[in-house]
């Protein structure tokens, strides 16, 4: 449990846990994320379930968490294009397994994307499925904001949404949300305004930066134009009770030391602006 501590005004508050996504060490495996999270002092990890066999193996994840004394804060359901057959080709089965995994591993949150446009049956039942899983499990199924495709070399107005009915989950309305600031950059959406629309349903944050390019950049916070610092400060002011996870890209790191340096910088940024 994250301890409470005193404000200058004498009020007590719970520190916001700062986690590391296992996706942040790609192409290294999930085990590396646990090692680096422990070495740098992160409060936990978010497990991205994908091709890495360890990310799909609950026993292996439980052993990594215990060995490094790093709790699992969230499970990211396998809903990327490259994970459409991880666990099952059926997206409903994948989401159900993700919630079961979160329960088994002590995670409080499951991150899931809105349905793809071609997943018609899944899209029709998605809202009811999310509500059912939350009611039965007590785990927050936090639907993440995505972004429309903007083909390279095309005018900015050209937008193609791959999600049904929208990349913005607040267009539908859910009990819990994940706010991703790399996705707001790619979507040209105001992250602070989106956080306000999510309101008390904002449960989980993927903190990363972007420059407005039509791709998912996941830069270290502070290296782009997203209001990452302001968002963190507002989370504290609004007594946010969820977790902030650094989902940054270190795929260009040439050495372990370079990857550690990027992840240390990201953690320092989050700690500074979350008052840690």
């Amino acid at each position: 449990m994250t301890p409470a501590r005193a404000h200058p005004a004498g009020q007590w508050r719970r520190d916001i846990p700062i986690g590391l996504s296992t996706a942040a060490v790609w192409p290294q495996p999930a085990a590396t994320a646990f090692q680096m999270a422990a070495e740098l002092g992160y409060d936990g990890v978010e497990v991205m379930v994908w091709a890495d066999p360890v990310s799909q193996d609950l026993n292996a994840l439980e052993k990594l968490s215990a060995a490094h004394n790093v709790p699992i804060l969230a499970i990211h359901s396998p809903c990327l294009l490259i994970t459409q057959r991880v666990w099952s080709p059926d997206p409903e089965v994948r989401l159900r397994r993700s919630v079961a995994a979160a329960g088994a591993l002590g995670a409080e949150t499951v991150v899931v994307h809105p349905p793809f446009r071609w997943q018609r049956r899944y899209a029709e039942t998605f809202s009811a499925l999310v509500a059912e899983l939350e009611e039965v499990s007590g785990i927050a199924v936090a639907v993440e904001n995505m972004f429309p495709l903007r083909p390279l070399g095309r005018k900015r107005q050209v937008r193609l949404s791959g999600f049904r009915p929208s990349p913005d989950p607040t267009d539908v309305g859910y009990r819990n949300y994940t706010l991703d600031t790399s996705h707001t950059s790619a979507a040209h959406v105001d992250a602070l305004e989106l956080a306000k629309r999510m309101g008390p349903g904002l449960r989980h944050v993927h903190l990363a930066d972007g420059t407005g390019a039509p791709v998912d950049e996941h830069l270290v916070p502070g290296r782009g134009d997203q209001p990452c610092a302001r968002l963190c400060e507002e989370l504290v002011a609004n007594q946010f009770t969820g977790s902030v996870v650094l989902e940054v890209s270190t795929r260009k790191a040439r050495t372990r030391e370079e990857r550690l340096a990027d992840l240390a910088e990201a953690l320092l940024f989050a700690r500074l602006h979350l008052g840690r």
Side-chain angles (χ1 to χ4, degrees), residues 64-88:
L64 281 170
S65 178
H68 295 286
N69 195 27
V70 174
I72 296 172
L73 303 176
I75 298 293
H76 194 309
S77 185
C79 44
L80 300 172
L81 281 172
I82 61 172
T83 59
Q84 292 300 291
R85 292 194 173 274
V86 171
W87 279 349
S88 169

Side-chain angles (χ1 to χ4, degrees), residues 161-217:
S161 174
F163 300 94
R164 181 184 294 266
S166 164
D168 182 347
T170 66
D171 288 344
V172 176
Y174 298 96
R175 183 181 299 173
N176 294 291
Y177 299 101
T178 295
L179 173 61
D180 187 304
T181 51
S182 177
H183 295 174
T184 57
S185 174
H188 290 182
V189 167
D190 186 321
L192 299 177
E193 286 301 317
L194 181 55
K196 288 180 182 177
R197 291 201 299 277
M198 290 178 171
L202 177 55
R203 172 74 181 194
H204 197 70
V205 174
H206 283 166
L207 191 65
D209 221 327
T211 63
V215 290
D216 195 4
E217 296 175 282

Side-chain angles (χ1 to χ4, degrees), residues 8-235:
Q11 297 177 335
W12 288 86
R13 78 155 214 239
R14 170 184 177 270
D15 279 340
I16 297 170
I18 302 171
L20 177 66
S21 170
T22 59
V25 303
W26 187 87
Q28 296 297 310
T32 300
F34 281 89
Q35 294 165 3
M36 291 188 170
E39 187 171 341
L40 294 171
Y42 278 83
D43 298 317
V45 299
E46 175 183 313
V47 175
M48 171 75 81
V49 181
W50 55 6
D52 175 10
V54 170
S55 74
Q56 305 171 32
D57 186 333
L58 303 194
N59 289 331
L61 291 170
E62 188 172 37
K63 289 177 181 177
L64 281 170
S65 178
H68 295 286
N69 195 27
V70 174
I72 296 172
L73 303 176
I75 298 293
H76 194 309
S77 185
C79 44
L80 300 172
L81 281 172
I82 61 172
T83 59
Q84 292 300 291
R85 292 194 173 274
V86 171
W87 279 349
S88 169
D90 185 334
E92 178 177 335
V93 172
R94 293 198 299 270
L95 182 53
R96 288 186 180 278
R97 286 193 63 171
S98 298
V99 173
L105 295 168
E108 296 181 349
T109 304
V110 167
V111 177
V112 65
H113 296 174
F116 285 117
R117 182 166 294 279
W118 58 84
Q119 295 172 323
R120 293 188 177 182
R121 185 178 65 83
Y122 179 54
E124 289 171 357
T125 60
F126 182 70
S127 293
L129 173 64
V130 168
E132 174 210 325
L133 290 172
E134 290 186 320
E135 184 69 27
V136 171
S137 70
I139 290 166
V141 181
V143 186
E144 185 173 9
N145 63 295
M146 300 303 292
F147 55 94
L149 300 175
R150 194 168 68 244
L152 292 169
R154 302 290 292 275
K155 292 182 179 180
R156 288 195 170 207
Q157 301 91 288
V158 178
R159 298 289 184 96
L160 303 171
S161 174
F163 300 94
R164 181 184 294 266
S166 164
D168 182 347
T170 66
D171 288 344
V172 176
Y174 298 96
R175 183 181 299 173
N176 294 291
Y177 299 101
T178 295
L179 173 61
D180 187 304
T181 51
S182 177
H183 295 174
T184 57
S185 174
H188 290 182
V189 167
D190 186 321
L192 299 177
E193 286 301 317
L194 181 55
K196 288 180 182 177
R197 291 201 299 277
M198 290 178 171
L202 177 55
R203 172 74 181 194
H204 197 70
V205 174
H206 283 166
L207 191 65
D209 221 327
T211 63
V215 290
D216 195 4
E217 296 175 282
H218 284 290
L219 303 177
V220 171
R223 297 184 184 177
D225 59 14
Q226 289 300 287
C228 296
R230 175 83 179 276
L231 175 64
C232 287
E233 291 158 6
E234 291 199 358
L235 292 176

